[in-house]
Amino acid sequence: MSQEEKKQKPINFRDVSICEATIQMLEKAAKDGVETAFTRAAEMKPCPIGADSACCKHCFMGPCRLNSKDPYAKTGICGATIDTIAARNFARMVASGAAAHTDHGMSMLDVFREVVNGRIKDYQIKDETKLRNVAASIGIEVEGRETMDIAKDLYEELERTYTQVEGEIPFAKRVPPKTLETWHKLGIVPRGAMREIMEIMHRTHIGVDQEYNNIVKQCSRTALSDGWGGSMVATELSDILFGTPKPIVAGVNMGYLKEDEVNIIVHGHEPNLFESMISSVNDPANIEKAKAAGAKGINLLGMCCSGAEVLGRHGIPHAGNFMSTEAVIVTGAVDAMAVDVQCIMQALSKLSECYGTRFFTTNPRAKIDGATHIEFHEHTPRECTDKIVEMAVNRFQNRTARIEIPNRRDLGIHGFSHEYVNYMLGGKFRGSYTPLNENIINGRIRGVAGVVGCTNIRVKHDYVHVECVKELIKNNVLVVQTGCSQISLAKAGLMKPDAAVLAGDGLREVCETVGMPPVLSLGSCVDNSRILIACAEMVRTGGLGDSIADLPVAGAAPEYMSEKAISIGHYFVASGVYTIFGVTFPSIEGTKFHKLLFEGLEEQGLGKWDFAVDPIEMAHKMIAHIDKKRMALGIMG
Ligand code: XCC
């Protein structure tokens, strides 16, 4: 087949996604003659050298490519070996991912400070109990004190997560003592996120750290400053400011767009933009404007992690995950899309233009060519979101695009915070993880798996998540989820209590007794910190070993695509969790660096990395690890 014929071969969209709404919209896009990531991916094969992380471009003597059969046959011009090159590349991914989460956490900290000192009036402290609990967990005196006094102290403490140059980040106090002891022994307790990220960037410069073990040590320290630092600050402060999620019935999929209403989508990551948009769309004056324009009302939906946060926190419908962000524009029904930071494809700008959707950037960190920038300021948040509503109403009035809304709506239960898991499974032990641990010890629940992360064009969209999770619950593994992955499973109907019929007998019994689904939706990607806390609680409750590394738990990111996922994966590994990724892994099997990640770290008392593309194989690797831990705990039977 000639190159030209290959190019023209139409894509069967059923081969690239299992999401019916996305498939329908990709077909529409093809008819409309517009390109999407799915068509671009067919034209652009990934670079195999880059995929193996065997390319170094840290200086301008290169780029150097170590693409021989034997990765040790060559070195870079400076003599850097494959281990140094792959470790340095990996370290920079961790640094970038950790920076994204910690900067997000920093924005929440900024809002919190301004709320506490009274300069921000549009947000308040919504969950005082959580404020007190978080403060107490890091040693702040709470008894008999005013909320605002505690909040001031909490701000001061949490700021250290970022700026501290010596010592340990505040949430290190929440780490189980045995796990912390391992970190002390290895010298990987984070000091402050800024320092750790800066140090990675320094150490990976040409001619600095050229010993892969030492580089990986700094990867661990930096990744931990994300998981137990920036991400945890983001989650805890968002709960304090906007409310801790409790289970709520909410809808996912594009069928929640409404042809006769003004449709606004918020896509990105930071909840402050979304919270202000909620306030704007509920303002009677704005609703009146929409009605005057002929709309029945204003319909607000989320996407990606912004959407995942408010799905569980407020029950606002979610239009789709990362690989559906273009498809949703193709409906023609989106009047405005407002974005802030992370996972926003540049292509959305041009695509929005094709369909007449108004596309807005709002964060000074993230402007996009062709987008209208309306800057969001947390002191006057409504100025930005009211303006976007106004522009959306205007677009509604002047709609020209043909509208086609896929008729898919999936209801499920979302919003399982770690606090709620505690409460839900509590029974007579309400307020403790005892029943969860007991069910694990008696074998009804084999273990717990966190299945999280992105969707990625390089594998069949949603498919790997869904099949992996189904296999896990069938084998009595309780699944907790965050990010785009939970949207895949919500669309597959697994977040309903009646999905318990798909679970093995033991897990099914627990789910039916409690009335919970076998797959629990925990929120956005920074909310992976909820899983860390749940792990710490399981250790503290007792009966399952002394450290996180002893627990019969596992993690997976079956369709990951972002550097943030690498940072998340590595903080789980450094916390003691077996973590398996799909798609591709940035190292060459058999190299010393690869062996360190896949075997050596576990020997040091941490978790380990693993890799599989096939969802069933992935699930069984996780189950094998869970069984290994059960065996070690003497609870196999
Ligand atoms: Fe982004 Fe957070 Fe990945 Fe989804 S899961 S593609 S990082 S939106 Ni977080």
Side-chain angles (χ1 to χ4, degrees), residues 228-461:
W228 297 86
S231 281
M232 201 171 278
V233 169
T235 296
E236 302 300 50
L237 290 184
S238 301
D239 284 357
I240 290 169
L241 290 167
F242 310 127
T244 306
K246 289 185 193 69
I248 184 165
V249 176
V252 168
N253 221 326
M254 292 181 215
Y256 288 98
L257 288 165
K258 293 181 183 156
E259 186 156 2
D260 51 7
E261 295 197 17
V262 177
N263 292 302
I264 298 176
I265 288 193
V266 178
H267 164 29
H269 282 80
E270 293 179 1
N272 36 1
L273 172 69
F274 216 130
E275 293 289 328
S276 176
M277 191 64 88
I278 293 172
S279 156
S280 286
V281 302
N282 285 306
D283 184 327
N286 286 334
I287 297 172
E288 238 357 275
K289 280 185 202 158
K291 288 193 171 154
K296 283 219 174 108
I298 308 174
N299 185 34
L300 177 63
L301 296 96
M303 287 201 97
C304 280
C305 280
S306 289
E309 288 227 6
V310 293
L311 178 69
R313 194 170 276 132
H314 306 301
I316 294 194
H318 195 289
N321 56 25
F322 178 66
M323 284 319 304
S324 304
T325 49
E326 287 177 301
V328 81
I329 299 284
V330 177
T331 62
V334 182
D335 295 300
M337 180 181 268
V339 302
D340 54 18
V341 288
Q342 302 166 22
C343 304
I344 298 139
M345 292 195 207
Q346 182 164 355
L348 290 174
S349 167
K350 202 169 144 207
L351 194 66
S352 295
E353 210 182 298
C354 294
Y355 289 95
T357 295
R358 303 282 155 86
F359 185 63
F360 301 99
T361 51
T362 59
N363 192 296
R365 295 168 183 81
K367 295 191 177 181
I368 297 177
D369 238 352
T372 307
H373 188 76
I374 302 182
E375 202 147 304
F376 178 83
H377 298 285
E378 47 263 10
H379 292 86
T380 50
R382 286 283 302 273
E383 280 178 16
C384 168
T385 50
D386 281 349
K387 185 83 196 147
I388 291 172
V389 171
E390 190 189 315
M391 307 280 272
V393 170
N394 180 276
R395 191 275 184 174
F396 176 89
Q397 233 172 350
N398 298 294
R399 279 182 185 174
T400 51
R402 185 171 68 83
I403 291 174
E404 180 181 331
I405 299 174
N407 190 19
R408 317 278 319 186
R409 283 176 287 277
D410 301 291
L411 278 179
I413 305 183
H414 297 270
F416 290 90
S417 53
H418 61 83
E419 287 89 345
Y420 196 83
V421 173
N422 210 341
Y423 171 81
M424 171 178 68
L425 288 166
K428 68 176 164 160
F429 301 104
R430 204 146 264 189
S432 87
Y433 271 65
T434 306
L436 175 65
N437 283 20
E438 277 179 355
N439 278 312
I440 292 174
I441 292 164
N442 69 29
R444 277 195 198 92
I445 296 176
R446 192 173 197 155
V448 182
V451 181
V452 306
C454 327
T455 50
N456 184 326
I457 184 67
R458 296 299 175 192
V459 293
K460 198 173 190 174
H461 170 219

